[in-house]
Amino acid sequence: MNDSIILKAADNVRILSAAMVEKAKSGHPGGAMGAATAITLLFAEFLRFDPKNPHWEARDRFLMDPGHMSPLLYSELVLTGRLTLEDLKNFRQFGSITSGHPELSVEHGIENSSGPLGLGQGMAAGVAIGERYKVAQFGDIISHKTVALVSDGGIQEEIAYGIGRIAGHLKLSNLIFFYDANGVQLSCKTADVMDQDFKKQYESWGWRVLEADGENVEELRQAFKAAFAETERPTIVIGQTTMAKGAVGAAGESFEGKVSTHGQPLSGAGASLEETVRHLGGNAENPFEIFPEVKEAFAERLAELEKLAAAWNAKKAEWDKQNPEKAKTLASWLNGNSVKLNLKDLAQKDDVATRNSSGTVLAYLAKNYRNIICSSADLSNSDQTQKFLNETRIMTPGDFGGAFVQVGVAELSMGAIACGLALSGGLYPICATFFVFSDFMKPVIRMAALQGLPVKYVFTHDSFRVGEDGPTHQPIEHETQIRLLEDLNKDDGRPQMLVLRPADAAETTVAWEMAFENEDSPTALILTRQKVGALPCPAGTTRYAEAAKCRLGAYIVSDNTPAGKKPDLTFVANGSDVLLCHQAAELLRKESKNVRVVSMISPKLFRIQDEKFRNEIIIPWTPVYALSSGLPVLFKDVVGGFGKVAGLERFGASAPASVLENKFGYEPDAVAKEAMMYLAEFEKNVADFKKVNG
Amino acid sequence: MNDSIILKAADNVRILSAAMVEKAKSGHPGGAMGAATAITLLFAEFLRFDPKNPHWEARDRFLMDPGHMSPLLYSELVLTGRLTLEDLKNFRQFGSITSGHPELSVEHGIENSSGPLGLGQGMAAGVAIGERYKVAQFGDIISHKTVALVSDGGIQEEIAYGIGRIAGHLKLSNLIFFYDANGVQLSCKTADVMDQDFKKQYESWGWRVLEADGENVEELRQAFKAAFAETERPTIVIGQTTMAKGAVGAAGESFEGKVSTHGQPLSGAGASLEETVRHLGGNAENPFEIFPEVKEAFAERLAELEKLAAAWNAKKAEWDKQNPEKAKTLASWLNGNSVKLNLKDLAQKDDVATRNSSGTVLAYLAKNYRNIICSSADLSNSDQTQKFLNETRIMTPGDFGGAFVQVGVAELSMGAIACGLALSGGLYPICATFFVFSDFMKPVIRMAALQGLPVKYVFTHDSFRVGEDGPTHQPIEHETQIRLLEDLNKDDGRPQMLVLRPADAAETTVAWEMAFENEDSPTALILTRQKVGALPCPAGTTRYAEAAKCRLGAYIVSDNTPAGKKPDLTFVANGSDVLLCHQAAELLRKESKNVRVVSMISPKLFRIQDEKFRNEIIIPWTPVYALSSGLPVLFKDVVGGFGKVAGLERFGASAPASVLENKFGYEPDAVAKEAMMYLAEFEKNVADFKKVNG
């Protein structure tokens, strides 16, 4: 398009952005107006997509980091036919596609959910890595560019470094950032908080750095051309823009560059929407319009894109013919559900840590599937993702064919990249670290859940039994913490995340099957550092068959209660605590107690089963004693009104694991003793209750 | 000391480090051995402390970022008389001071707890900012240097950027990093994950970058001299070191530079402790020895330091005389408990958001106390720390007298700096952001709790009522999440953290009083974005007096139950849900129900009160209905066996808050209706229970 049309379209975008925020009485107009010229140019001349097929695998991806700049994205999506003016009028209203911060909808051209600043940069890098990996497998036919919009706030986030470093190290030449440098952030001018040399910073990380006046179409065009043509390095285009470009007050006075226009309607900042619309050449009576010449220009662009996509489709059909095997594989990847595990015959050793049992599965996955990408935050030899790596190789700038990404010690970046790998399509990311460091990843695990991405997390070293490394390395509150995301439901009642803490090798195998059955939300596996023995197995079956019952959240591991009677006590636990409870149960059984032991790999999964099943596993109003390696609140929801959960209500300590098990009461006799005390307490509670509700 | 003594002492440190890991059968010898020369030089010639007074306010601070390199720190502390060889033999044993990762003990020269990589850099920056602030108040008399050890892993953490940027922006010339660049990390060579130009990177952030051969004492000395003399910028000394320097196998073959020596005893890596000790000039029979010449040299150094401290003490006494007011103020700051609030007469408006009520207190604090430092992650105008800022000014490179630190959008860095400010002594840090972004801060909030630091967190925008910003900005699981740290107990049973969600302006005032009464653990205030009305106030008292009852965790806000009778229903809630429950209760009271409403600012604080009190507030085994704005698990522990907690078990949505209140059932009539249904459920449960426990 010619420059004047681009500028006209950008003003149109400014009008729409300001108008939708004003109508919603809420939102962020300033940034959207500032970056309008650059982003409009991108959509008008650079980004390649198929107007007829939003899921086109070779489309360029445009990811948002600053989700608050959503009016800009939504306006561009109207210009390019993926959203309607009506959608803009419903900005920030219940159920509308145009939510306050963008929510993933490839159908509508929204390639990622965004909001918490910084994470979008990592998702973009993940998409770019995914593209490189797939190109390494299938060739250039499916190559595309990934472009991310980054703001002043986002570029301050710590993760900007993690992603800058990793993308630079991997020489991701298919990744382009547009940095909207407008010098104004939500609460102040950027000069109050930063004065670094961005060019030097990104160059130190191996990026190509281009600078452009954010209002000079030709400068921007040349920068984007260079970025799209780059073959050696990721590129960041630093665009000097003006916050609230075009905003004026009632008397026509400028409101450009004001902090106040960042996070509220223009009228809230004292400016005038009407005057601004007029000033930008629009219709103050109805700002929700597309200028005719803009409409025409974008219609031409769409026609051009359709042709381009049609040409690609023809080329792809040809490629399919010439590469029937590859074509079949690619299609199977892109159709989803391509990793279907049946690990019944996978040999597992007993008496190893569940992280090792997981390692066995990881080796199997690497050997048998090419669309799983594994990462570790510099702990591969400890979290056992090394077993995966042993079957493949690390990704390097010269060779993207390896299915292992070494990210270094950068948990949050790893998590964001994993989201991006999932977003890129056809790939299953696995990422691993110590469970305690899941803290660093929380913001992005939440984003994986919110976007329904099938990322798999391997969290090893799952309790105080980490031992000598001490309290900084011993997860206590973490299992409950991560399960808070499991407590959130999708519209259909299924959990937004699956968290599995398997009790032995067989359950670990099954947990991995469950992780890959869970196609539309993230799954975390919580694994031990220390050895665990196999659970008892009834005659005539196998541990694998028993462990398969984990799919209902919980099952009975052992029970000496005669048929028709109720247990005197039911133990509930997961992970390494199940065998411990079984050992305690054996002690109580010697004292003629009828004791049931339940392994509960996921309390939430159990809670969403039907009542009949639940009441068979945990008989209501009977004594239930649950044991957590961390906080007791973990099982609070399943033990019933008279049940009890024991756990650890303190930070850990530095000492050998066996010493801590002794000090903290995690030995069979101690557990048996506590359980007996609970039974006495149960009786007292029942008596007290009857006094009140006799 | 002369170079040969430094090298000798460094070998001594290597021997001790390797030996203690070997004895503990666990730990990280390689890094400690690599950095031994540089760090020994620092302790031998640069770091200034008072051997007689570990708490000396003007001591230089040495902070660890890589806590796994603890053997190095502990060995240096033996050389300088703060630990004993016996302590080293007890490395990683229960109850010993020499835990796997260092745990804060100024008494023993351990200036911070460390472990999760990166956070130590932020704590060091915080200490340095604290020093600059105090020097601005009191003059150079209390100036000192802050030195941090940083490793390859730590420098990869995202926070390295946040801290690098902020320290560079503030031109913290009193801050020195020694970057132990040994090229090897836990799972691989650093070249596998990074190849950036560190010199350029830190220079782009405004740092002075010096490079030195980590084994060349004179090069290191010149670098440290320059760093200690620097007056314009923070300095990073990049020391090229060798992992496991001096480690050999049984046949004398070198084990230097091997990944395998990073995280396990030398013997585990195939090397020989005995041969290594011999190779380094030690006694293989008893490696836990200090070489006589090293002992002598450090004794001289300690004598020198005593003189230096004595001279300072004399100078300080003189200063005290000449600055009696300042001296008194400084002493009061350093003695702790210097902010004692009685806000009874502080005027608060009703019908404002609790973030605004908090803002009123913040303004008061800024006006009346000079040892409170406030920060916001670029949300001051929204989280209302702007009210604090209005009474002071932002800290700038040329003026450290302002009590507000603008950190930009960098929540984790802000949290780490806050820890450092608290560690620096005499200062109370407050830091603020939206509650949902507390996710980014979790790792460092945990470290604040672990170290018992009185950091205050202001988390605003506390529920789905954030409204239009949508699910990425609406905390759901977060209140339960942050309270998991509150669930952890100190040895005396008090919580490791205090989390307060006040219900109205009066409770907000009291919450701030409680925050400053809590001297030895962090406190978080959870505040609303939206307006809340004042709670009802009984005749003859004030809301402030009523709200003061928050100190016991919970109190009765309203109750129409006749004396001697039990309520038909007790509502429990906190924050904005209390008034909602009261409104629902009023509806039920119209239908002749006896309903009690309890405001519970902190369930944990309530749970640790004596049973008698608890049973007066919530009568056991009676119907209790709690309402959470987030996950129901929040109040699970206080409602009793037949109680129920309602909450929100889904991600939020983008829409005006009032629309969401309607959709999600947070309106008085909806709550009243749900409560009535619960009463029916209660009856059914009682009947079911009796069937089982007749």
Side-chain angles (χ1 to χ4, degrees):
Chain A
M1 297 181 194
N2 69 47
D3 291 10
S4 68
I5 277 287
I6 296 293
L7 289 170
K8 188 89 191 162
D11 280 347
N12 209 154
V13 164
R14 290 185 176 98
I15 292 168
L16 294 173
S17 297
M20 75 177 95
V21 172
E22 201 72 29
K23 184 164 191 305
K25 299 195 186 73
S26 150
H28 301 76
M33 296 174 80
T37 302
I39 302 305
T40 300
L41 179 67
L42 268 175
F43 275 82
E45 298 186 4
F46 290 90
L47 296 170
R48 201 179 58 160
F49 60 95
D50 182 351
K52 290 183 169 163
N53 174 17
H55 294 277
W56 181 27
E57 58 265 42
R59 72 192 183 278
D60 291 333
R61 314 297 168 87
F62 177 76
L63 279 84
M64 294 286 281
D65 184 29
H68 63 276
M69 287 170 71
S70 60
L72 174 58
L73 174 65
Y74 298 150
S75 299
E76 302 294 350
L77 294 175
V78 170
L79 292 185
T80 51
R82 273 90 61 93
L83 290 177
T84 66
L85 289 169
E86 210 51 41
D87 291 326
L88 302 191
K89 291 179 194 167
N90 286 319
F91 182 49
R92 293 180 162 240
Q93 302 311 305
F94 194 80
S96 81
I97 181 77
T98 47
S99 52
H101 292 77
E103 294 176 38
L104 175 63
S105 170
V106 175
E107 187 68 30
H108 292 97
I110 302 169
E111 298 281 0
N112 67 315
S113 296
S114 53
L117 293 172
L119 305 183
Q121 298 166 49
M123 293 188 220
V127 172
I129 293 171
E131 189 262 9
R132 287 292 87 187
Y133 181 79
K134 284 182 282 186
V135 167
Q137 308 299 320
F138 302 106
D140 271 331
I141 184 81
I142 51 159
S143 71
H144 66 79
K145 298 289 179 183
T146 300
V147 184
L149 171 62
V150 181
S151 65
D152 286 309
I155 214 144
Q156 284 162 18
E157 278 285 1
E158 294 90 349
I159 193 175
Y161 169 50
I163 297 306
R165 171 177 63 77
I166 294 166
H169 174 72
L170 287 176
K171 301 192 192 299
L172 291 177
S173 61
N174 57 338
L175 179 66
I176 300 162
F177 282 2
F178 177 74
Y179 167 26
D180 171 40
N182 62 32
V184 176
Q185 51 196 97
L186 198 138
S187 71
C188 60
K189 300 280 176 128
T190 56
D192 284 353
V193 301
M194 64 179 184
D195 57 1
Q196 72 252 51
D197 182 335
F198 277 104
K199 188 161 189 292
K200 200 166 170 179
Q201 170 182 309
Y202 273 91
E203 282 176 354
S204 79
W205 299 336
W207 288 56
R208 180 174 191 181
V209 182
L210 301 169
E211 293 175 282
D213 175 341
E215 288 309 316
N216 186 320
V217 177
E218 187 54 24
E219 262 187 53
L220 288 166
R221 186 182 285 122
Q222 290 310 320
F224 289 140
K225 269 191 183 164
F228 274 72
E230 174 63 42
T231 58
E232 295 295 323
R233 299 160 290 182
T235 302
I236 184 166
V237 177
I238 303 179
Q240 301 299 339
T241 60
T242 304
M243 168 70 72
K245 178 78 188 164
V248 294
E253 73 279 24
S254 171
F255 272 75
E256 292 182 354
K258 294 202 183 206
V259 174
S260 58
T261 63
H262 185 292
Q264 58 183 336
L266 289 185
S267 62
S272 157
L273 176 70
E274 287 199 2
E275 276 313 310
T276 298
V277 171
R278 268 187 219 113
H279 178 67
L280 290 166
N283 174 3
E285 304 293 302
N286 177 20
F288 291 99
E289 286 182 348
I290 308 292
F291 299 148
E293 59 273 46
V294 171
K295 194 178 273 180
E296 194 182 327
F298 273 85
E300 276 171 32
R301 173 63 178 165
L302 292 180
E304 198 176 292
L305 286 170
E306 278 187 29
K307 269 187 218 155
L308 200 148
W312 185 90
N313 286 331
K315 199 172 137 195
K316 173 69 166 34
E318 188 55 37
W319 182 87
D320 284 0
K321 265 188 225 155
Q322 283 168 14
N323 303 275
E325 277 310 307
K326 281 189 178 178
K328 209 178 126 193
T329 303
L330 176 58
S332 81
W333 288 15
L334 296 174
N335 289 336
N337 273 300
S338 59
V339 176
K340 292 192 207 312
L341 301 180
N342 181 337
L343 303 175
K344 184 161 65 76
D345 299 324
L346 184 73
Q348 286 280 24
K349 278 187 213 156
D350 287 338
D351 292 316
V352 298
T354 55
R355 64 174 162 142
N356 291 91
S357 310
S358 167
T360 304
V361 178
L362 287 168
Y364 173 90
L365 293 174
K367 257 184 274 192
N368 291 280
Y369 294 91
R370 294 292 289 155
N371 60 335
I372 299 174
I373 312 269
C374 192
S375 274
S376 170
D378 191 33
L379 291 168
S380 53
N381 40 5
S382 202
D383 59 37
Q384 299 297 314
T385 52
Q386 186 68 40
K387 301 277 168 57
F388 188 103
L389 176 51
N390 291 345
E391 305 295 331
T392 178
R393 59 193 188 276
I394 66 167
M395 219 175 259
T396 63
D399 170 18
F400 285 95
F404 198 97
V405 185
Q406 282 289 24
V407 293
V409 188
E411 296 82 3
L412 186 63
S413 300
M414 174 174 74
I417 288 172
C419 282
L421 286 166
L423 287 169
S424 89
L427 300 175
Y428 292 95
I430 295 174
C431 55
T433 186
F434 287 167
F435 193 21
V436 80
F437 301 143
S438 64
D439 272 357
F440 285 99
M441 300 175 69
K442 171 70 209 300
V444 80
I445 300 174
R446 189 173 208 262
M447 288 304 283
L450 196 54
Q451 295 178 97
L453 301 177
V455 179
K456 326 292 175 200
Y457 305 101
V458 175
F459 294 134
T460 68
H461 296 60
D462 71 350
S463 75
F464 68 86
R465 298 180 188 85
V466 164
E468 292 90 343
D469 274 346
T472 56
H473 282 56
Q474 292 170 7
I476 308 290
E477 73 277 22
H478 297 79
E479 188 182 352
T480 300
Q481 176 173 303
I482 192 93
R483 287 192 191 280
L484 298 179
L485 290 172
E486 204 180 22
D487 279 350
L488 297 170
N489 301 323
K490 292 176 187 280
D491 289 342
D492 64 6
R494 289 178 309 124
Q496 289 281 9
M497 179 167 185
L498 194 57
V499 180
L500 305 171
R501 185 170 180 243
D504 66 357
E507 284 196 12
T508 305
T509 300
V510 170
W512 270 115
E513 292 178 350
M514 292 168 71
F516 278 95
E517 288 157 16
N518 181 28
E519 187 78 8
D520 64 353
S521 78
T523 306
L525 269 66
I526 315 296
L527 304 168
T528 69
R529 173 189 189 227
Q530 80 285 3
K531 285 184 191 178
V532 293
L535 295 179
C537 185
T541 181
T542 63
R543 270 300 300 142
Y544 173 83
E546 287 296 296
K549 297 176 183 168
C550 282
R551 286 186 175 75
L552 298 177
Y555 67 101
I556 298 165
V557 164
S558 67
D559 195 354
N560 66 328
T561 310
K565 290 197 74 176
K566 294 197 176 78
D568 298 317
L569 177 70
T570 298
F571 277 115
V572 176
N574 67 12
S576 56
D577 302 302
V578 180
L579 187 58
L580 174 59
C581 285
H582 173 72
Q583 289 162 343
E586 289 288 86
L587 296 175
L588 296 174
R589 286 163 188 160
K590 280 188 193 153
E591 295 178 32
S592 308
K593 294 284 178 195
N594 295 324
V595 185
R596 172 179 291 188
V597 178
V598 171
S599 177
M600 188 174 286
I601 198 164
S602 159
K604 176 59 182 272
L605 206 47
F606 175 69
R607 275 158 48 213
I608 60 174
Q609 304 307 318
D610 65 53
E611 193 178 0
K612 183 168 169 293
F613 170 77
R614 283 186 281 120
N615 291 350
E616 279 165 15
I617 302 292
I618 296 182
I619 299 170
W621 310 112
T622 62
V624 181
Y625 185 85
L627 179 64
S628 160
S629 277
L631 288 174
V633 61
L634 184 66
F635 289 114
K636 207 75 198 179
D637 255 334
V638 296
V639 294
F642 288 80
K644 175 172 179 158
V645 194
L648 198 59
E649 294 178 279
R650 54 161 290 172
F651 281 116
S654 173
S658 59
V659 172
L660 295 179
E661 285 181 328
N662 178 268
K663 298 277 180 193
F664 297 160
Y666 287 79
E667 292 178 332
D669 51 350
V671 173
K673 200 172 147 195
E674 286 292 322
M676 286 302 290
M677 285 172 64
Y678 157 67
L679 283 179
E681 202 180 289
F682 180 88
E683 296 304 327
K684 185 184 169 298
N685 281 338
V686 167
D688 285 356
F689 170 79
K690 283 181 184 164
K691 269 184 232 159
V692 178
N693 294 282
Chain B
M1 296 182 196
N2 69 45
D3 291 10
S4 69
I5 277 287
I6 296 292
L7 290 170
K8 189 87 189 164
D11 281 347
N12 209 154
V13 164
R14 291 184 176 98
I15 292 169
L16 294 173
S17 296
M20 75 177 95
V21 172
E22 201 73 29
K23 184 164 190 305
K25 299 195 186 76
S26 150
H28 302 75
M33 297 175 78
T37 301
I39 303 305
T40 300
L41 179 66
L42 267 176
F43 275 83
E45 299 185 5
F46 289 91
L47 296 170
R48 202 180 56 160
F49 59 96
D50 182 351
K52 290 184 169 163
N53 174 17
H55 294 276
W56 181 29
E57 58 266 41
R59 72 193 182 277
D60 291 334
R61 314 297 169 87
F62 178 76
L63 279 85
M64 295 286 281
D65 183 28
H68 63 276
M69 287 170 71
S70 60
L72 175 57
L73 173 65
Y74 298 150
S75 300
E76 303 294 350
L77 293 176
V78 170
L79 292 185
T80 50
R82 272 90 60 95
L83 289 178
T84 66
L85 290 167
E86 210 51 40
D87 290 327
L88 303 190
K89 291 180 194 164
N90 285 319
F91 182 50
R92 293 180 163 240
Q93 302 311 303
F94 195 81
S96 80
I97 181 76
T98 48
S99 52
H101 292 76
E103 294 175 37
L104 174 63
S105 170
V106 174
E107 188 66 31
H108 291 98
I110 303 169
E111 297 281 359
N112 68 313
S113 296
S114 54
L117 293 172
L119 306 183
Q121 297 166 49
M123 293 188 219
V127 173
I129 292 171
E131 190 262 9
R132 287 291 88 187
Y133 181 78
K134 283 181 283 186
V135 167
Q137 308 299 320
F138 302 106
D140 271 332
I141 184 79
I142 51 160
S143 72
H144 66 80
K145 297 289 179 182
T146 300
V147 184
L149 171 62
V150 181
S151 66
D152 285 310
I155 215 146
Q156 284 162 20
E157 278 285 359
E158 293 90 349
I159 193 175
Y161 169 49
I163 297 305
R165 171 177 62 77
I166 294 166
H169 174 70
L170 288 176
K171 301 193 193 298
L172 291 177
S173 61
N174 57 339
L175 179 66
I176 300 162
F177 281 3
F178 177 74
Y179 166 26
D180 171 42
N182 63 31
V184 175
Q185 51 197 98
L186 197 139
S187 71
C188 61
K189 301 281 177 126
T190 55
D192 284 353
V193 301
M194 63 179 185
D195 56 1
Q196 71 252 51
D197 182 335
F198 276 104
K199 187 162 191 292
K200 201 166 169 179
Q201 170 182 307
Y202 273 91
E203 282 176 354
S204 79
W205 299 335
W207 288 55
R208 180 174 190 181
V209 182
L210 302 169
E211 293 175 283
D213 175 341
E215 288 310 315
N216 186 320
V217 177
E218 187 52 26
E219 262 187 51
L220 289 166
R221 187 182 286 121
Q222 290 311 320
F224 289 139
K225 269 193 182 162
F228 274 72
E230 173 64 42
T231 58
E232 294 295 322
R233 298 161 291 180
T235 301
I236 184 166
V237 177
I238 303 179
Q240 301 297 340
T241 61
T242 304
M243 168 71 72
K245 178 76 188 165
V248 295
E253 72 279 23
S254 171
F255 271 75
E256 292 181 354
K258 294 203 182 203
V259 174
S260 59
T261 64
H262 185 291
Q264 57 183 337
L266 289 184
S267 62
S272 158
L273 176 70
E274 287 199 4
E275 277 312 311
T276 299
V277 172
R278 265 186 222 115
H279 178 67
L280 290 166
N283 174 2
E285 303 294 302
N286 178 19
F288 292 99
E289 286 181 347
I290 309 293
F291 299 147
E293 60 272 46
V294 171
K295 195 178 275 180
E296 195 182 328
F298 273 85
E300 277 170 32
R301 173 63 178 164
L302 291 181
E304 198 176 292
L305 286 170
E306 279 188 28
K307 271 189 217 154
L308 200 149
W312 186 90
N313 286 331
K315 197 171 138 197
K316 174 69 167 33
E318 189 54 39
W319 183 85
D320 284 1
K321 265 189 226 156
Q322 284 168 14
N323 303 276
E325 277 309 309
K326 280 189 180 178
K328 207 176 128 193
T329 304
L330 176 59
S332 81
W333 288 16
L334 296 174
N335 289 337
N337 273 301
S338 58
V339 176
K340 292 192 206 313
L341 301 180
N342 181 338
L343 303 175
K344 185 161 65 78
D345 299 324
L346 186 73
Q348 286 279 23
K349 278 187 212 155
D350 287 337
D351 292 316
V352 299
T354 55
R355 63 173 162 143
N356 290 91
S357 311
S358 166
T360 303
V361 178
L362 287 168
Y364 174 89
L365 293 173
K367 257 183 274 191
N368 290 280
Y369 294 92
R370 293 292 290 154
N371 60 336
I372 299 174
I373 312 269
C374 191
S375 274
S376 169
D378 191 32
L379 291 167
S380 52
N381 40 5
S382 202
D383 59 37
Q384 299 297 315
T385 52
Q386 186 69 41
K387 300 277 167 58
F388 188 102
L389 176 52
N390 291 344
E391 306 294 332
T392 178
R393 57 193 189 276
I394 67 167
M395 219 175 260
T396 63
D399 171 18
F400 284 96
F404 198 97
V405 184
Q406 283 289 25
V407 294
V409 188
E411 297 81 4
L412 185 63
S413 300
M414 175 173 73
I417 287 172
C419 282
L421 286 167
L423 288 169
S424 90
L427 300 175
Y428 293 95
I430 295 174
C431 55
T433 186
F434 288 167
F435 193 23
V436 79
F437 300 144
S438 64
D439 273 357
F440 285 99
M441 299 176 70
K442 171 68 210 300
V444 80
I445 299 175
R446 189 173 208 262
M447 289 304 284
L450 196 54
Q451 296 178 97
L453 302 177
V455 180
K456 326 294 175 198
Y457 304 101
V458 174
F459 293 134
T460 68
H461 296 60
D462 71 349
S463 75
F464 67 86
R465 298 179 187 87
V466 163
E468 291 91 342
D469 273 347
T472 57
H473 282 55
Q474 292 170 7
I476 308 291
E477 73 277 22
H478 297 79
E479 188 181 351
T480 301
Q481 177 173 302
I482 192 93
R483 287 193 190 280
L484 297 178
L485 290 173
E486 205 181 21
D487 278 350
L488 297 171
N489 301 322
K490 292 176 187 280
D491 289 342
D492 64 7
R494 289 178 309 124
Q496 289 279 10
M497 178 166 185
L498 194 58
V499 180
L500 305 171
R501 185 170 180 243
D504 66 358
E507 284 196 13
T508 304
T509 300
V510 170
W512 270 115
E513 291 178 351
M514 292 168 72
F516 278 94
E517 288 157 17
N518 181 28
E519 187 78 8
D520 65 353
S521 78
T523 306
L525 269 66
I526 314 298
L527 304 167
T528 69
R529 173 188 190 230
Q530 80 284 1
K531 285 183 192 178
V532 293
L535 294 180
C537 185
T541 181
T542 64
R543 270 300 300 143
Y544 174 82
E546 287 296 294
K549 298 177 184 168
C550 282
R551 285 186 176 76
L552 298 177
Y555 66 100
I556 298 165
V557 164
S558 67
D559 194 354
N560 67 327
T561 309
K565 289 197 74 176
K566 294 198 176 76
D568 298 318
L569 178 70
T570 298
F571 277 115
V572 175
N574 67 12
S576 56
D577 302 302
V578 181
L579 187 58
L580 174 59
C581 284
H582 173 72
Q583 290 162 341
E586 290 287 88
L587 296 176
L588 295 175
R589 287 164 187 158
K590 280 187 194 152
E591 297 178 32
S592 310
K593 294 284 177 195
N594 294 324
V595 186
R596 171 178 292 187
V597 177
V598 171
S599 177
M600 187 175 285
I601 199 165
S602 159
K604 176 60 183 271
L605 205 47
F606 175 70
R607 275 159 47 213
I608 59 173
Q609 304 307 318
D610 65 54
E611 193 178 359
K612 184 169 168 293
F613 170 77
R614 282 187 283 121
N615 290 350
E616 279 166 15
I617 302 291
I618 297 182
I619 300 170
W621 310 112
T622 62
V624 180
Y625 186 85
L627 179 64
S628 159
S629 276
L631 288 175
V633 61
L634 183 66
F635 290 114
K636 208 73 198 181
D637 255 333
V638 295
V639 296
F642 287 81
K644 178 174 178 156
V645 194
L648 198 59
E649 295 179 278
R650 54 162 288 172
F651 282 116
S654 173
S658 59
V659 172
L660 296 179
E661 285 180 327
N662 178 268
K663 298 276 180 192
F664 296 161
Y666 286 79
E667 292 177 331
D669 50 349
V671 173
K673 200 172 147 195
E674 286 293 322
M676 287 302 289
M677 286 171 63
Y678 157 67
L679 284 179
E681 203 179 289
F682 179 88
E683 295 303 328
K684 185 184 168 301
N685 281 338
V686 167
D688 284 357
F689 170 80
K690 283 182 184 163
K691 270 184 230 159
V692 178
N693 293 283

